[in-house]
Structure formats: structure tokens, C-alpha cells
Amino acid sequence: MKPTKRAALILGAATLLVTGLFVATNAYAANLLSNPGFESGNLSGWSCTGSGSAAVTTPVHTGTYALNGNATTSDTAQCTQTVTVQPNTAYTLSGWVRGSYVYIGVTGGASTWTPAATAYTKLTVPFTTTAGQTSIQVYLHGWYGTGAYNADDIALDGPGTPPTTTPPTSSSPSKSPSASPSPSRSPSTSPSTSPTTPVTGLPRHALIGYDHASFANGSGYIRMTDIPAAWDVIDLAFGEPTSVTSGDIRFNRCSAAECAGVESDAEFLAAIKAKQAQGKKVLISIGGQNGQVQLTSTAARDTFVSSVSAIIDRWGLDGLDIDFEGHSLYLNAGDSDFRNPTTPVVVNLISALKSLKAKYGTKFVLTMAPETFFVQLGYQFYGGTSAGDNRAGSYLPVIHAVRDFLTILHVQDYNSGPIWGLDNQYHQMGGADFHIAMTDMLKAGFPVANTGQTFPGLRPDQIGIGVPAAVSAGNGYVAPAVVQAAVTCLVSGTGCGGYTLRGGPSPAFRGLMTWSINWDRYYNWEFQNAQRPFLNALP
């Protein structure tokens, strides 16, 4: 960007005497989990990460066995289990845990944790499934570097599925747990909620734009109440740090002296609430071209969490956009496994985002707007391998670690040099081809340089394209029809020119981001007027 940027018995198997037989109602199971107390003597039914995770005989809460997880500096020793559930139904997840920083929750949903349980302590997470939701993934884990934790007698209480002559396949353990630790994560190939009914309430195809809320430039200031209803996500640009390494983020609204017509704080807050009442999401965007943010210490990380929370709470915002540019993110030499990063600025950002997600829950909206240099360039060069710039691909570990609660990744397809695509050809700005190739990489996934690892693709509902709204907004501007040609290819697989989609068509493609709403108004709403009807017409 430019600066100028959770009772069970009542729900259980109640019976009725009918023609001399007891017939169960449609609430079948109390505890829906397999091997909930680890009494099999192993981890059967669970998928666990990290070394040292096992069923142990001491300490236990009840029975003979309990789980022992070993959280290291690079893995939280997470155990997950996927279970069939009913839509629009109340459930309660509970468990007894012991250790420092032990978490229990539902991937993409409610969670809770304890910072220090020297004896077994019960954690309880009530939640209600969404419309159309038929499965969930439950998890429990420790925290980075805190060592061993224990868990026992995990229960998911609520109505299950009708009994069958063979076990339902959906109650089997997850086969592909995410490699990176997360308080709320799921395998990238099997999201716990339907992409078409996201918890965050975004439309199927969204229009996303940045609002110059803290500064003025040649495009002019727009009062929040005057932003048209066409925009689904409004990113307030920008929250910036008091210093590069402080982690202390401040959002200072543009002054009346700099921004003619700026509204009062009360009017600004009222307008945000009005937008949200219309179903719009308003986020604070952190960083931008001038806002370098390096979370080099845990103190900076904690300050980042508290200061960003203060901004979100002050203005009643829906979440956060990460627009770290410049030298905010980089990889230390030898940090070559994007699944288990070790560089503090990366590790601390991941930890901070997970803390914010845990604080704000299921409705927390998290978007990212990296440049191609920090994402797609990772196919050819990766900073931690000491091959080239140490910032190359440095967003990849962050994206991967938060993929289960990342709402949208809209890479900036502008201000970019040529990028090597999955067809092993360079792609350059200036046509539909660049947007097609760069976006296909996000859906298909790609090998990460010379590391021997592959970055897994994202769900299509997590992927958007970032483009300039107008010729003055950034290098790489193309006419609205060119953007539409690229989206048509990505959504339907047609009109792709000479490019073959490695990730296949993506009807659930989320939408378009632009820098910026202000520049679009300056150019008579060319972007909005062309792209809003186009997105509405997509399948």
C-alpha cells in the first residue's frame, strides 16, 4: 500500500415407550468423541503433532491413562478430532487439563484456556453450530516452549448422528493435521465450516477497500458515512507503531487541519456502527508502506496485542488487516522451514494473531495484504535459506500458521517485479495473466524454493486479488475489464489464455481488494461501479 496506506443429558438419548419398545429420539450420543479419556492406552481417534505426545499412566484425572503433550519452541503438541454434528445445535466441549497455557476449543470457533493449572482443572466451551454445519474439529494443545501438559476425560456433549450398522466415516480422526501450531486450526483441505456460510458473515464475493482514515493525500478525505454501501470490507488505513520495534500500535485519525471535512470521533464511531448494522466489516489495517512493525521480542508482541485490542475496542471494529511491508518481516539465516519458523519477528507475529483470535472469537475477521515479494516469490527464493533477500516469502509461515482463521488473503498484485509462476515462466504486471498466475499459486499451493517443502493451497473463499483502483493508486493498474477477465478464468476456468490453472476453477473465490476507496472516488467510482455488479453476478 501507499501511505499516500459449549442439559447434555436432556439432549442425550431420551426414550419413548412405543408398542412395547423403547425408541430413541434423534439425540443419540452424549459424548461424541472417540477415546475421550485415552483409555485405549494410545492416541487412537486423535491426530497429534509434535514429539513426545502419548497416552501415559500418570498423572491421570480418572481411569488408567491420560494424554501427555510436549509443547516445544516450534510446536504446541496439538491433538485434534473431527466429529459429525447437527446444524444450528448447542453443544458443550469440556476436558480436564493440567499444565501451563493449555487450550481447548473448536477449530474456527469458541475456545478457552488456562495459564497455569498445577492440578487437573476443568475447561468448558459451550457453542452452537452454524446453519448447514455437519462436522467440527475439536482441539487441545499447549503453548510454545512451555513443555509438557496433560489432558483427560475430554467430552463433546450434544446430539450426534443416528446409529448405523457401520461406524460413520466422519467420526474417524483427521488424516492431515496442520503442521503449524494454532489455538484454532484445521487441515487446509477440510475446513470445519462451509466456505459459503462463513462465520464472519461476509458475502460470497466481497468488495474490499482501504479508507485513508489517518492521513490525507491527493485523493481527498471521505467521511465514513459517505462510503457507498457497495463496499463489504472497509480497512482503516493505518494503525502505525510508535517505533519500529515497540509493538505499540496507534490509530490517529486525520486532523481537521490536514483532512478537510473530517467528522468528529462521535460521528466516526456512529458511522462505523451504521456500516456494521448493514452487514459491513470495518477493520484496522496495521502497517502500510511507512508503518514498519518488527516484533523482535515477546514484550513487543504483548504490547502489539494490547494496543491493537485497544483500537478494536475503542472503535468497535470487526478485526484486523495485516499490511506489513518493507522490512517488517524477514527470516534469519537457517530459518528454512515455513511450518516451524524460528525468526522472532515471524514467531511473535503468529503468536500475537492467535492471541487476538482467542480474545475475539469466531467473528474475528483477519485479512492480509502482502506484496507478491513476501508470498509468491517464495516459490523461487526463500529468505531463510540465505539465497537472495532474507525477506523473500517471509509471509508464508505467518499465512500457514493462521490459515484456519485467516479470513482473506488479498495479495497486492501491484508494485511488483516479475514473479516466477507454477508454469515456470515469469509473469509481469499489465494484464490478466499476472492476476491469474499469482492467484492460482495461492489456491494450488507451491514448493517453497529449495527447502523440499510445499506450501499448501488455501481454500478459495480465503483468496482475493488486490489491485489499484486507478492509475494514480499504484503501479500495475489495469482496466476493470482486464480484472474481470482474470476473475472469470479463476472462477470458471474459462478464458485463461495460455495459462492452465493448477488449482482448478474456484467458484468460491472471495473477491477483490483495492487501494483505495479514496482513489476510486477521485476517479468517479470506476472500480466500484464496474466490479460490484460483476461480483454480484458471479455464481
Side-chain angles (χ1 to χ4, degrees), residues 18-33:
V18 179
T19 63
L21 297 175
F22 284 97
V23 179
T25 71
N26 64 355
Y28 290 92
N31 191 351
L32 304 181
L33 295 174

Side-chain angles (χ1 to χ4, degrees), residues 120-269:
Y120 272 105
T121 300
K122 188 176 184 179
L123 297 178
T124 303
V125 181
F127 65 96
T128 301
T129 54
T130 62
Q133 188 172 4
T134 58
S135 70
I136 61 164
Q137 184 185 70
V138 302
Y139 66 81
L140 49 95
H141 63 75
W143 197 244
Y144 298 103
T146 56
Y149 74 91
N150 301 105
D152 202 358
D153 301 324
I154 314 302
L156 177 62
D157 291 348
T161 55
T164 60
T165 55
T166 58
T169 57
S170 58
S171 63
S172 63
S174 169
K175 301 297 183 184
S176 55
S178 171
S180 66
S182 164
S184 56
R185 64 174 181 217
S186 65
S188 62
T189 55
S190 54
S192 60
T193 57
S194 166
T196 59
T197 56
V199 173
T200 50
L202 288 168
R204 182 171 175 84
H205 304 297
L207 193 66
I208 305 151
Y210 287 79
D211 170 39
H212 307 179
S214 65
F215 60 91
N217 65 8
S219 63
Y221 183 82
I222 304 178
R223 293 165 62 96
M224 176 62 64
T225 192
D226 293 332
I227 295 177
W231 301 92
D232 300 303
V233 180
I234 301 167
D235 292 312
L236 303 178
F238 288 104
E240 298 184 10
T242 54
S243 70
V244 173
T245 60
S246 69
D248 186 9
I249 306 301
R250 303 297 175 90
F251 171 56
N252 299 309
R253 297 191 57 232
C254 195
S255 67
E258 184 179 1
C259 295
V262 65
E263 67 271 63
S264 68
D265 285 357
E267 291 171 326
F268 186 68
L269 180 58

Side-chain angles (χ1 to χ4, degrees), residues 1-3 5 210 238 288-289 323 325 369 412 414 513 515:
M1 304 297 174
K2 300 277 187 179
K5 315 218 234 195
Y210 287 79
F238 288 104
Q289 180 174 289
D323 183 19
E325 301 184 14
Q412 300 178 35
Y414 50 96
M513 172 274 278
W515 179 260

Side-chain angles (χ1 to χ4, degrees), residues 310-335:
I311 296 170
I312 292 173
D313 295 344
R314 166 68 177 89
W315 301 106
L317 304 179
D318 297 286
L320 172 66
D321 173 71
I322 296 294
D323 183 19
F324 284 17
E325 301 184 14
H327 291 268
S328 292
L329 291 181
Y330 54 84
L331 296 162
N332 289 339
D335 188 359

Side-chain angles (χ1 to χ4, degrees), residues 1 16 22 29 69 75 102 106 110 120 122 231 248 292 300 320 324 334 351 394 410 430 437 459 463 465 496 517:
M1 304 297 174
L16 295 172
F22 284 97
D75 191 279
V102 188
V106 178
Y120 272 105
K122 188 176 184 179
W231 301 92
D248 186 9
Q292 303 294 292
L320 172 66
F324 284 17
S351 177
S394 57
H410 35 61
R459 303 190 315 264
I463 301 171
I465 298 176
C496 299
I517 297 173

